[in-house]
Amino acid sequence: MAQELQQPQIAKNKLQADTQLKATVSVNILLINAVINRKQGTTQVAVETAEPILKQLELELPMTDASQIEAAIAQELQLSHQNVRQLVRYEIVE
């Protein structure tokens, strides 16, 4: 037994410090406002929720095409494209 205790142990499971964790939060979304700035080529997105802790979420997207914006919002908020279309309101700034 003493001989076993003196043997170095090889760790089979290693910790990975470079792994990123992605947290997901489920919130009740009331409205999505998207301000498209064609001159800058960006869209500012404000998401209003009914949650007391997270009232508003803001995103900046490097695109101005409505279908791309909706796809990016759906991916970011983990919503269906149909839900995004129902919630989003656009404003276009030239």
Side-chain angles (χ1 to χ4, degrees):
M1 184 170 184
Q3 187 177 13
E4 284 293 321
L5 291 175
Q6 292 175 355
Q7 295 293 324
Q9 297 292 322
I10 299 174
K12 293 181 182 178
N13 296 330
K14 297 178 182 178
L15 294 176
Q16 292 183 349
D18 61 348
T19 304
Q20 292 183 356
L21 297 176
K22 184 171 183 176
T24 57
V25 178
S26 177
V27 294
N28 186 15
I29 297 173
L30 299 173
L31 180 66
I32 301 172
N33 288 317
V35 179
I36 299 172
N37 189 323
R38 289 194 176 145
K39 191 174 185 179
Q40 292 182 351
T42 61
T43 300
Q44 298 291 327
V45 180
V47 181
E48 295 179 21
T49 74
E51 306 301 321
I53 294 175
L54 181 62
K55 294 251 183 214
Q56 190 169 13
L57 174 67
E58 294 183 359
L59 306 168
E60 182 174 340
L61 303 174
M63 58 196 72
T64 59
D65 179 66
S67 61
Q68 290 179 337
I69 293 166
E70 290 172 3
I73 292 170
Q75 182 179 1
E76 188 69 31
L77 301 178
Q78 296 182 352
L79 295 172
S80 70
H81 290 278
Q82 182 180 2
N83 286 345
V84 171
R85 280 191 196 108
Q86 291 173 346
L87 294 167
V88 71
R89 303 293 178 260
Y90 292 101
E91 178 183 344
I92 298 175
V93 177
E94 296 292 335

